[in-house]
Amino acid sequence: MPLPRLSSPTPRLLLRALALALAPPRRPSSPPLPIGFASPRLAVRAAAPAPLRAVLSADQRDLGMEAGEQGRPLRVGIVCGGPSAERGVSLNSARSVLDHIQGQDLVVSCYYIDSGMNAFAISPAQLYSNTPSDFDFKLESLAQGFHSLSDFAEHLATNVDIAFPVIHGKFGEDGGIQELLEKAKVPFVGTPSKECQHAFDKHSASLELDKQGFLTVPNLLVEKDKLATSELEAWFQTVNLSKEKGKVIVKPARAGSSIGVVVAYGVNDAAQKAEEIISEGIDDKVIIEVFLEGGTEFTAIVVDVGIANNSEPVVLLPTEVELQPSSSSDTKEDTIFNYRRKYLPTRQVVYHTPPRFPAEVIDCIRKGISLLFRRLGLHDFARIDGWFLPSVSSLPSAENSEKFGNTKYGTVLFTDINLISGMEQTSFLFQQASAVGFSHSRILRTVIQHACSRFPSLVPCNNAWTALSRKLQSSKQAEAIHKGTSKQKVFVIFGGDTSERQVSLMSGTNVWLNLQGFDDLDVTPCLLAPANGYFSSHDQDFSAISREVWTLPYSLVLRHTTEEVYAACVEASEPERVEITSRLREQVMNELGPALSKHDWFAGFDIAYEEPVKYSLQQWINHVKESGAVVFIAVHGGIGEDGTIQTLLESAGVPYTGPGPIASRTCMNKVATSLAVDHLTSYGVRTIPKDVRATEEVLKYSLVDIWNGLIAKLQTETVCVKPAHDGCSTGVARLCCPKDLEVYTNALRSKYQRLPANCLYRAHGVIEMPVPPPESLIFEPFIETDEIIISNKLENGSARHLVWKGENDWLEITVGVVGKRGKMHSLNPSITVKESGDILSLEEKFQGGTGINLTPPPPTIMSEDALQRCKRSIEIMANSLGLEGFSRIDAFVNVRSGEVVLIHQALAEEPPVYPHKFFRTLLDLAFERTK
């Protein structure tokens, strides 16, 4: 059978989570095992979710419910999804809430509202999907549907004590879900419906802020079918902006996550972009506001610690949002905090908690947000965004010096009120809460318990929950005393200096959060970094001995990039910055402590302040050995996957996760991997022809000659190019002609950080490029796979469905393998579905709400027989390569025969294996190897 014609050799990765087990009738549904830690080059590069504290069995729940009101679990219903473009982020938030609140004293039920406003009761396993699209088309067969939203609300009224809405945007923050719950008399976390309606609409909120005496950003409301150019011109003149080039922000009046936020220049451009927002269906009301040139954005979490309905808001440490202009690029890009910058781990944005503002400005921010929280009638918690405009900048509406927000250093303005703040594991909520003593679990439980205290009907439930929590805690402490206090030390290492370091941070954070849920483990997160940091020349040579390792305190891990983590470590040694942070932390904790201590349910702060500690790599290995610890390797690429760290740990006698040095070195080298499995053709395993060329050679010689040589050697019309030692789709592109090769090589020569969308012959998204350029490039035939479409609309009242023509018979898959050496077990594959272009983009792999995985492959696409043959081939391949622990294999599979074509992948299994248990299994395998 001839090789198929081309597809990206970099497959689908799951976004900060486990792929969901949306199994068809042929097998039960269960969640795929997590990915997000290093092994060999076949290792997983996506992130796993935060720690799952406990998964209660039916017997445990029954036992708890029979315990009576003096000690029974609280029943919480998490509601996620919704009709907005933020439903993917909502799914991530729901997963995080579930992971951090579930326990023997708190039982969670999960509910999902699809884009058509249909409600379903879903399994917790489905929250571990990459996106809602992974299971939308299977909801009718996998979930309990409700006839109407009213029926859903009635169900909640009898089956949960309190609802926790985590729907972002429309229906979640505009008062929709709140009004539904209010009518059914269901207690819920958060602000009431009427107040939501006023606060969520940016124009209404701006009017209310002005009425309440706050400075506001000059803005104009544009409504559907009511846009008058003359009115817009008059407004530009009023705020002293040029009608031709005046810079403004255009954004939906009722949307979150920075969706639809764009920059415009002049009246005509502003009008056009407002029309685009309306025509795309994002919102039919648009705000046009003055661009705050020279200003700095900030955001702050506020939590209510008052008694009952007596509001007492305390603002945590605000965060400064520092936007980085694109460098080394020939494309103009406006520096705004858009959706991509908010949810992708790139160096385009840096966060500083607390802000680098004068103390008076920070005090003004905290005081203003506290006032807003009270005056707008908000409840439990919220996030409020704004801008600090230094005195040197001008604000057209700042002429009223009596309004709140004027300081001697500049102007403070509040712009956006987020009633349901994002709750992904490194979100602002957890960053700011950890800085003042709250773990993920403690801040979420504090918010829930405060919400319960506002509803008189829930006082008995809250008391019973508190009683059970204390009983369980006392029992746990007694057991610890009986067994002794020694814990097994675990060091989770992540970071590095490859282009995969940001994904490594995501992976390592997930592993750390999951493992720290075990009472018998003492888990320490560690950052691997270049000895001279991330801010020196890209051209230097990094050897293993030039690395340093930082052991990190809780709050420093919760960052979006390794550069941020490193900068925070360095900052922790700067006396002036340390003094400012310590003073602000003490101030906030002094406000929180006395207020929370009035509540019987408050269990105290559970995160102590610690400083990071720096070691050389060898010093760190010695420290690990002296501690009797095991190392969980979550470093992707470079020395984390080429056998270097494995060799160093093995020489020191330190147990570690994943394959050994030889298998790691083999799998790190894509050519060596192909050669190592080349003899497996009779077992249904084939490899893709490759042409490896030095980057210097490609940049030096005739591109036309190189192209013609590639086409002739690889026997293909289009080529897939990728760095020889990078992953995560970095630098992976489909080239269709010599001109494409020229665009690609120019980007390497100029060290561009990214290629803009659609700059090559075939349509594609933004392509992140490796900086510095790789030493060598791999060229392969581009395998053409069958397109799978997830129907987004209901046809004739029918459910969403898969559309698959099956013309080529080849699909891209990612497969996890786990076990001991020589006995590796293949998990169920995930089909990777590209939403645009030919190569999976960075967004589709790691950005909330994008990218689709189908786990396991639906039977309408791949037969059971072909699936089993595929899994057997994967196991043979894994054992032939000497893999152990866990790895991920990326491949193409023929859906008819099960034949596998290797490219360089915990998946849908029965029974369900949740993240914390899976990672614990990998630790156990590491120990067994040393025996």
Side-chain angles (χ1 to χ4, degrees):
M1 179 184 301
L3 276 176
R5 276 231 338 192
L6 293 181
S7 160
S8 157
T10 305
R12 268 236 45 66
L13 299 178
L14 306 182
L15 169 63
R16 294 182 200 159
L18 311 176
L20 174 64
L22 298 172
R26 56 179 173 172
R27 62 178 69 84
S29 170
S30 54
L33 296 179
I35 58 183
F37 39 88
S39 15
R41 171 54 47 181
L42 290 79
V44 175
R45 294 180 180 80
L52 188 62
R53 304 294 177 186
V55 179
L56 298 187
S57 67
D59 290 341
Q60 286 175 304
R61 284 192 284 267
D62 292 342
L63 181 63
M65 296 305 292
E66 292 169 2
E69 291 301 311
Q70 291 307 309
R72 75 161 178 86
L74 186 74
R75 301 173 301 166
V76 177
I78 298 175
V79 186
C80 66
S84 81
E86 301 171 74
R87 43 204 291 273
V89 179
S90 170
L91 186 69
N92 294 340
S93 291
R95 178 192 310 129
S96 182
V97 173
L98 170 70
D99 287 346
H100 293 294
I101 69 173
Q102 178 138 249
Q104 289 179 294
D105 61 335
L106 196 152
V107 179
V108 179
S109 300
C110 302
Y111 302 93
Y112 173 75
I113 295 176
D114 70 8
S115 57
M117 297 296 288
N118 302 296
F120 299 86
I122 62 174
S123 161
Q126 287 171 315
L127 293 186
Y128 293 90
S129 300
N130 193 41
T131 76
S133 296
D134 290 9
F135 60 80
D136 266 347
F137 67 99
K138 291 185 175 182
L139 280 170
E140 290 195 354
S141 61
L142 290 174
Q144 173 193 343
F146 298 95
H147 294 297
S148 65
L149 289 178
S150 297
D151 289 341
F152 165 57
E154 290 176 9
H155 166 87
L156 292 178
T158 57
N159 288 276
V160 305
D161 298 316
I162 189 168
F164 196 147
V166 289
I167 299 175
H168 303 306
K170 187 177 180 181
F171 194 67
E173 297 179 86
D174 62 1
I177 184 68
Q178 292 81 4
E179 184 176 9
L180 180 71
L181 297 172
E182 287 165 353
K183 288 180 178 178
K185 301 190 185 311
V186 177
F188 60 88
V189 175
T191 298
S193 62
K194 183 179 179 181
E195 286 75 9
C196 283
Q197 292 169 13
H198 292 142
F200 182 64
D201 186 306
K202 293 178 176 61
H203 185 252
S204 297
S206 177
L207 294 176
E208 183 63 26
L209 262 62
D210 183 68
K211 180 181 176 182
Q212 294 287 346
F214 289 85
L215 288 170
T216 59
V217 182
N219 63 75
L220 177 71
L221 175 66
V222 175
E223 297 184 78
K224 184 177 182 180
D225 300 327
K226 295 182 180 179
L227 176 60
T229 304
S230 58
E231 182 184 357
L232 189 54
E233 289 180 351
W235 179 79
F236 264 70
Q237 185 175 359
T238 300
V239 295
N240 298 318
L241 289 177
S242 164
K243 290 188 294 183
E244 289 74 28
K245 297 181 180 180
K247 192 173 181 180
V248 294
I249 292 288
V250 184
K251 59 186 179 182
R254 297 166 297 184
S257 296
S258 299
I259 289 174
V261 179
V262 292
V263 174
Y265 296 87
V267 171
N268 293 335
D269 190 28
Q272 179 182 338
K273 287 178 176 172
E275 289 286 5
E276 288 173 356
I277 291 173
I278 293 171
S279 63
E280 290 172 9
I282 299 175
D283 196 2
D284 55 13
K285 294 174 66 177
V286 175
I287 292 287
I288 299 175
E289 63 182 26
V290 172
F291 187 96
L292 299 177
E293 203 74 62
T296 302
E297 195 166 358
F298 64 80
T299 186
I301 297 292
V302 53
V303 294
D304 192 353
V305 295
I307 301 293
N309 283 301
N310 296 317
S311 180
E312 189 175 342
V314 174
V315 181
L316 307 185
L317 295 183
T319 298
E320 172 192 350
V321 180
E322 180 188 7
L323 299 177
Q324 303 286 337
S326 296
S327 60
S328 301
S329 176
D330 60 348
T331 59
K332 180 180 179 181
E333 186 175 3
D334 288 302
T335 305
I336 59 172
F337 195 37
N338 56 21
Y339 188 84
R340 192 173 197 269
R341 286 190 172 96
K342 187 169 286 189
Y343 294 109
L344 267 180
T346 70
R347 296 182 62 180
Q348 293 179 282
V349 60
V350 178
Y351 303 105
H352 304 277
T353 306
R356 300 166 302 173
F357 302 157
E360 180 184 330
V361 174
I362 296 176
D363 289 342
C364 178
I365 290 170
R366 296 188 67 242
K367 180 181 178 181
I369 290 176
S370 180
L371 286 171
L372 276 177
F373 191 91
R374 281 195 179 98
R375 293 181 183 179
L376 296 177
L378 310 187
H379 285 177
D380 300 328
F381 80 119
R383 193 188 87 234
I384 296 179
D385 305 335
W387 288 78
F388 169 56
L389 203 61
S391 299
V392 294
S393 304
S394 61
L395 179 69
S397 66
E399 68 279 352
N400 190 345
S401 60
E402 299 302 315
K403 287 195 171 184
F404 185 93
N406 284 307
T407 75
K408 67 179 181 181
Y409 298 100
T411 306
V412 172
L413 304 105
F414 302 106
T415 56
D416 295 277
I417 299 160
N418 303 274
L419 300 160
I420 302 178
S421 178
M423 285 167 271
E424 294 179 302
Q425 65 181 16
T426 57
S427 65
F428 294 122
L429 172 64
F430 300 128
Q431 284 186 29
Q432 296 180 19
S434 66
V436 292
F438 291 104
S439 67
H440 288 65
S441 176
R442 188 59 53 86
I443 187 62
L444 287 172
R445 283 172 168 247
T446 296
V447 168
I448 293 170
Q449 284 170 309
H450 181 271
C452 289
S453 72
R454 292 190 294 103
F455 295 91
S457 63
L458 285 185
V459 171
C461 293
N462 206 16
N463 292 339
W465 177 28
T466 301
L468 178 59
S469 298
R470 288 176 176 170
K471 182 179 179 180
L472 291 170
Q473 185 62 33
S474 297
S475 175
K476 187 182 295 184
Q477 290 172 349
E479 183 180 359
I481 293 173
H482 176 71
K483 291 184 176 181
T485 57
S486 63
K487 294 184 176 184
Q488 172 60 52
K489 290 186 178 295
V490 179
F491 288 80
V492 180
I493 186 167
F494 49 83
D497 49 44
T498 73
S499 62
E500 302 175 73
R501 61 187 180 273
Q502 314 306 356
V503 182
S504 173
L505 173 60
M506 293 165 61
S507 299
T509 302
N510 284 318
V511 173
W512 162 63
L513 286 171
N514 274 281
L515 291 180
Q516 70 170 358
F518 289 94
D519 296 327
D520 62 335
L521 298 180
D522 180 5
V523 189
T524 302
C526 306
L527 174 72
L528 174 70
N532 46 4
Y534 288 102
F535 310 107
S536 55
S537 171
H538 284 300
D539 296 322
Q540 59 190 310
D541 177 39
F542 294 122
S543 63
I545 59 173
S546 70
R547 307 306 207 286
E548 62 188 28
V549 180
W550 293 78
T551 56
L552 306 171
Y554 194 111
S555 62
L556 289 198
V557 185
L558 305 180
R559 300 294 193 272
H560 291 79
T561 67
T562 54
E563 288 80 5
E564 273 190 78
V565 177
Y566 181 84
C569 290
V570 174
E571 191 176 83
S573 63
E574 297 174 356
E576 183 178 353
R577 185 65 175 163
V578 170
E579 189 280 327
I580 293 171
T581 303
S582 298
R583 178 180 59 80
L584 289 169
R585 180 189 301 110
E586 183 178 359
Q587 178 183 339
V588 174
M589 294 183 73
N590 285 341
E591 294 173 16
L592 288 167
L596 287 171
S597 64
K598 297 176 184 178
H599 298 279
D600 292 339
W601 44 259
F602 182 59
F605 301 107
D606 60 343
I607 299 296
Y609 174 72
E610 298 175 349
E611 293 185 357
V613 179
K614 182 175 72 171
Y615 301 86
S616 70
L617 179 56
Q618 189 58 56
Q619 288 173 336
W620 177 78
I621 290 174
N622 295 339
H623 173 59
V624 171
K625 183 176 181 179
E626 292 169 2
S627 302
V630 61
V631 173
F632 201 117
I633 302 176
V635 179
H636 301 318
I639 68 171
E641 292 188 82
D642 67 3
T644 301
I645 286 182
Q646 292 81 357
T647 299
L648 292 171
L649 292 172
E650 210 160 273
S651 299
V654 175
Y656 59 89
T657 59
I662 296 176
S664 297
R665 280 194 295 272
T666 299
C667 295
M668 181 70 170
N669 187 315
K670 296 179 176 70
V671 176
T673 304
S674 295
L675 293 174
V677 299
D678 194 49
H679 64 290
L680 300 179
T681 303
S682 61
Y683 295 96
V685 177
R686 302 171 65 191
T687 58
I688 299 176
K690 293 176 173 58
D691 188 332
V692 183
R693 302 198 178 208
T695 303
E696 183 179 358
E697 171 196 335
V698 176
L699 297 179
K700 184 185 300 183
Y701 296 110
S702 165
L703 296 181
V704 173
D705 291 344
I706 291 174
W707 178 261
N708 291 335
L710 290 172
I711 296 304
K713 179 178 180 179
L714 299 176
Q715 293 294 294
T716 185
E717 294 180 7
T718 57
V719 172
C720 181
V721 60
K722 58 185 175 181
H725 299 290
D726 260 311
C728 304
S729 286
T730 302
V732 180
R734 180 179 186 175
L735 308 180
C736 300
C737 57
K739 180 64 177 177
D740 282 354
L741 182 59
E742 179 184 353
V743 172
Y744 189 89
T745 54
N746 282 341
L748 292 176
R749 183 180 291 107
S750 302
K751 298 181 181 179
Y752 292 157
Q753 293 183 1
R754 61 194 60 84
L755 282 176
N758 303 323
C759 67
L760 302 175
Y761 181 79
R762 288 286 296 262
H764 63 86
V766 174
I767 299 174
E768 298 292 328
M769 296 296 288
V771 179
E775 292 182 2
S776 56
L777 298 168
I778 291 179
F779 296 91
E780 298 172 339
F782 186 90
I783 298 179
E784 201 77 64
T785 56
D786 285 324
E787 183 179 22
I788 298 176
I789 299 173
I790 309 293
S791 170
N792 288 321
K793 296 182 179 180
L794 302 180
E795 296 182 1
N796 300 322
S798 62
R800 288 171 177 77
H801 59 282
L802 290 174
V803 178
W804 177 66
K805 294 181 179 179
E807 295 175 348
N808 297 313
D809 291 344
W810 290 92
L811 289 174
E812 191 174 359
I813 59 170
T814 187
V815 189
V817 288
V818 63
K820 298 179 181 180
R821 185 174 180 178
K823 298 180 180 180
M824 297 297 282
H825 168 67
S826 172
L827 308 175
N828 279 321
S830 296
I831 293 179
T832 57
V833 181
K834 298 177 287 291
E835 295 187 290
S836 63
D838 298 306
I839 306 288
L840 285 166
S841 66
L842 191 65
E843 285 90 342
E844 288 175 313
K845 288 184 177 181
F846 306 113
Q847 183 168 295
T850 62
I852 300 169
N853 282 300
L854 304 178
T855 311
T860 54
I861 293 177
M862 190 175 187
S863 70
E864 178 69 21
D865 184 57
L867 176 64
Q868 294 306 320
R869 284 201 298 270
C870 169
K871 293 173 68 173
R872 284 194 297 270
S873 296
I874 292 293
E875 289 172 352
I876 291 171
M877 187 190 312
N879 291 326
S880 180
L881 289 167
L883 303 183
E884 54 190 311
F886 178 80
S887 297
R888 193 200 75 235
I889 297 174
D890 299 330
F892 297 104
V893 63
N894 186 293
V895 296
R896 310 297 181 193
S897 67
E899 181 182 16
V900 171
V901 176
L902 174 66
I903 51 181
H904 261 94
Q905 182 198 186
L907 312 129
E909 296 304 299
E910 179 62 30
V913 182
Y914 284 87
H916 67 307
K917 291 184 178 179
F918 179 69
F919 292 134
R920 184 58 185 260
T921 297
L922 299 187
L923 286 180
D924 293 341
L925 287 171
F927 276 118
E928 287 183 24
R929 181 168 56 191
T930 62
K931 294 179 180 178

